[in-house]
Amino acid sequence: MSTKERNQEVIKEVLEGYPEKAGKRRSKHIGTYEEAKSGEEGKSGCDVKSNKKSLPGVMTARGCSFAGAKGVVWGPVKDMVHVSHGPVGCGYYSWAGRRNYYTGYTGVDTFGTMQFTSDFQEKDIVFGGDKKLAKLIDEAETLFPLNQGTTVESECPVGLIGDDIEAVARAKGKETGKPVVPVRCEGFRGVSQSLGHHIANDSVRDWIYPKADEYRKLQDGFESTPYDVNIIGDYNIGGDAWPSRLLLEAIGLRVISQFSGDGSFNEVTMSPLAKLNLIHCYRSMNYLCRHMEEEYGIPWMEYNLFGPTYIAKSLREIAAQFDETIQANAERVIQEYQASMDAVLAEYRPRLEGKKVMMMVGGLRPRHVIPAFEDLGMEVIGTGYEFGHNDDYKLTSEYLKDGTLIYDDVSGYEFEEFAKKLKPDLIAAGIKEKYVFQKMALPFRQMHSWDYSGPYHGYHGFAVFARDMDLAINNPTWSLIENPWSN
């Protein structure tokens, strides 16, 4: 039986655990990857339904629109005050949860790990929270005068009662002379956190770029070069953006904006001045890249700096957009790191060769991390997105082998059953799944925030990645635990 046939049989068995109607609906979200046959180029793909409402009563790992806007796109901009406008719970949950590392003095000129909330109470629901929001912005200006602006991320009650956060933003922007950006990202909008990404991107388009020249502090002293690029959609989880930036600068490019991990507001305003947008997390920031292409003529391309194979591939593809000097620099940098990568592979590949991995993550990771596993001799036997769209799954086709199991917004029941039947050596997913699988005696790595490790990007990051996978899988602790179904 081929891998594809076996996995299709597994899917059928798992779906039988649902009531007939639920099983039929979930069957559209689970499938296997099919490689294009000879002479049938373009017919390959992982053709599963995505970006649809989750079934009521079926466990979902998706975040909400508020999480996408505040936790992902705007939150890592380090020198702005980001207000969770609504009850305290959502803000508390989003408080420094993603390990977006940054440089600066917290509470003085950077505020990434601080939490600002309007702390809605019952009276605010009844009478509205506009006045409270205005007062909060005044207090923030008094307490933190070096902040470079404010964003207001609205929570569900704000949308339900109809507060006019845009009017407050305009008024306070005029008073303070700083940007105040309203972000209508109430959690109930859309089907996942993906719409929150889009809304946050649109708020940059509508509230920042039209006044970018006015806001831009370095306008007078800025001298453009042919090598100016933006890093878009790298949130510096565990310091990821730093080794990425190091490599781009090593091949001769100048990064003028890092949006948004370890990024400043001024870098946001600088982004329309670049010659090329390099997007890491396609799902969360492709909207802004498309806008900059249409409005400013800036081309964009996705890159992948996980694992030496794709690091080299991406550096060459990026360099190909520039002149022969940059291309020669790219080859030199790749060669410089070859010996260190050979040493990493010599140490860890023999310990990890043949190990099987199942992934379920958000953003770019369900596809981008696959080459790093394969560089270590590991095989990804299943992967899927929490909030992916159809284009995410199309882009994933580049990374998959025939028959690979694909699941969109996988439920807890499905994920556990797939693990029991396919017996992976490692689960790579999120914090909500971590302890379930560890109790099942399965090695696990939390792949949203790198399980408190990192960075994983670039050549430096791959050495950390390889070490962490070895520590997870070959930890002697697992020999002391039995999974519940082994007897």
Side-chain angles (χ1 to χ4, degrees):
M1 184 182 291
S2 69
T3 300
K4 181 179 176 181
E5 291 170 333
R6 179 203 63 184
N7 286 347
Q8 288 175 341
E9 192 64 34
V10 166
I11 292 170
K12 183 179 178 182
E13 292 173 9
V14 171
L15 291 175
E16 286 173 353
Y18 283 120
E20 183 179 354
K21 187 175 180 181
K24 185 176 180 180
R25 290 181 66 181
R26 280 301 299 161
S27 68
K28 298 174 183 177
H29 294 263
I30 308 173
T32 56
Y33 172 68
E34 182 177 357
E35 288 183 346
K37 297 179 177 64
S38 178
E40 294 184 343
E41 187 176 346
K43 291 194 175 184
S44 64
C46 18
D47 191 19
V48 298
K49 291 283 186 181
S50 59
N51 199 35
K52 303 292 183 184
K53 288 183 179 179
S54 298
L55 288 179
V58 175
M59 180 65 184
T60 176
R62 290 170 165 177
C64 69
S65 184
F66 169 81
K70 182 179 187 291
V72 178
V73 177
W74 270 117
V77 179
K78 61 186 180 181
D79 57 359
M80 298 182 77
V81 168
H82 304 291
V83 178
S84 300
H85 187 38
V88 70
C90 299
Y92 182 82
Y93 183 74
S94 67
W95 184 3
R98 297 188 74 232
R99 302 178 65 243
N100 307 107
Y101 286 179
Y102 60 88
T103 55
Y105 295 95
T106 301
V108 179
D109 59 358
T110 49
F111 313 97
T113 51
M114 300 181 71
Q115 170 56 16
F116 301 88
T117 177
S118 52
D119 187 24
F120 258 48
Q121 302 297 315
E122 185 176 339
K123 61 182 174 58
D124 300 310
I125 302 295
V126 176
F127 298 109
D130 288 351
K131 291 182 179 178
K132 192 172 192 178
L133 175 61
K135 184 179 180 182
L136 185 158
I137 294 171
D138 288 340
E139 289 179 353
E141 280 299 304
T142 301
L143 293 169
F144 308 104
L146 296 183
N147 83 76
Q148 298 302 305
T150 304
T151 67
V152 180
E153 281 80 22
S154 53
E155 300 171 19
C156 289
V158 174
L160 294 173
I161 66 177
D163 272 7
D164 192 351
I165 62 173
E166 290 82 4
V168 176
R170 290 189 187 96
K172 286 299 165 186
K174 288 181 180 178
E175 284 182 29
T176 63
K178 297 178 182 178
V180 180
V181 185
V183 190
R184 281 278 179 189
C185 57
E186 294 89 356
F188 57 74
R189 295 181 182 273
V191 301
S192 71
Q193 70 169 273
S194 177
L195 184 61
H197 304 149
H198 201 159
I199 291 168
N201 280 218
D202 287 352
S203 71
V204 178
R205 177 197 68 193
D206 297 337
W207 288 79
I208 303 301
Y209 285 169
K211 290 187 174 182
D213 290 341
E214 176 185 331
Y215 289 138
R216 202 176 288 133
K217 288 190 172 182
L218 299 181
Q219 176 68 29
D220 293 338
F222 179 77
E223 294 184 8
S224 179
T225 79
Y227 306 122
D228 294 344
V229 299
N230 297 324
I231 292 178
I232 300 287
D234 190 325
Y235 304 106
N236 207 32
I237 307 299
D240 275 339
W242 293 331
S244 301
R245 183 169 185 153
L246 185 152
L247 287 176
L248 294 175
E249 291 176 345
I251 68 172
L253 302 180
R254 184 173 74 159
V255 178
I256 64 170
S257 175
Q258 205 167 286
F259 189 6
S260 56
D262 195 32
S264 65
F265 175 69
N266 192 59
E267 288 179 83
V268 178
T269 69
M270 296 286 286
S271 54
L273 303 178
K275 299 299 188 295
L276 177 67
N277 277 320
L278 298 172
I279 184 168
H280 184 62
C281 182
Y282 171 86
R283 180 72 279 131
S284 63
M285 292 287 249
N286 77 86
Y287 317 102
L288 204 57
C289 287
R290 294 177 192 277
H291 171 70
M292 282 193 268
E293 183 174 42
E294 294 169 5
E295 185 70 18
Y296 308 110
I298 304 172
W300 60 277
M301 61 180 292
E302 188 182 36
Y303 67 98
N304 180 354
L305 296 183
F306 285 102
T309 298
Y310 262 71
I311 294 171
K313 183 175 186 289
S314 287
L315 288 179
R316 289 182 174 121
E317 289 176 350
I318 292 168
Q321 309 303 312
F322 297 93
D323 57 32
E324 293 180 358
T325 300
I326 302 298
Q327 293 169 27
N329 287 344
E331 294 301 328
R332 174 182 54 77
V333 168
I334 292 167
Q335 191 58 40
E336 283 178 359
Y337 283 97
Q338 188 62 51
S340 63
M341 289 299 97
D342 289 344
V344 170
L345 293 173
E347 180 176 0
Y348 292 108
R349 183 163 178 135
R351 298 169 59 81
L352 296 169
E353 190 94 43
K355 301 296 184 182
K356 297 179 180 179
V357 186
M358 287 181 67
M359 283 199 289
M360 176 60 185
V361 212
L364 54 96
R365 294 169 181 81
R367 64 178 182 274
H368 273 201
V369 185
I370 291 175
F373 283 121
E374 291 181 341
D375 283 338
L376 293 169
M378 303 169 73
E379 179 186 1
V380 174
I381 60 173
T383 190
Y385 294 84
E386 291 180 359
F387 45 81
H389 295 203
N390 289 347
D391 48 357
D392 289 298
Y393 285 98
K394 288 179 181 177
L395 290 168
T396 308
S397 299
E398 175 185 340
Y399 299 92
L400 300 178
K401 294 179 180 177
D402 193 42
T404 303
L405 183 64
I406 306 295
Y407 31 75
D408 177 70
D409 187 28
V410 71
S411 70
Y413 157 73
E414 293 162 5
F415 206 3
E416 290 176 39
E417 290 301 308
F418 287 144
K420 290 176 183 178
K421 295 177 185 300
L422 298 183
K423 297 180 172 54
D425 300 289
L426 178 73
I427 300 286
I431 191 66
K432 291 185 282 291
E433 297 79 50
K434 177 175 181 175
Y435 300 105
V436 172
F437 287 110
Q438 287 188 336
K439 289 174 182 177
M440 291 167 60
L442 277 170
F444 188 95
R445 287 301 299 181
Q446 208 273 74
M447 298 298 279
H448 286 283
S449 63
W450 303 155
D451 236 338
Y452 321 106
S453 183
Y456 283 176
H457 293 186
Y459 291 114
H460 295 90
F462 181 68
V464 180
F465 176 85
R467 179 204 66 189
D468 286 356
M469 298 310 115
D470 179 46
L471 286 172
I473 292 176
N474 294 312
N475 192 316
T477 304
W478 302 116
S479 64
L480 306 175
I481 306 172
E482 283 192 6
N483 60 50
W485 63 85
S486 59
N487 293 319

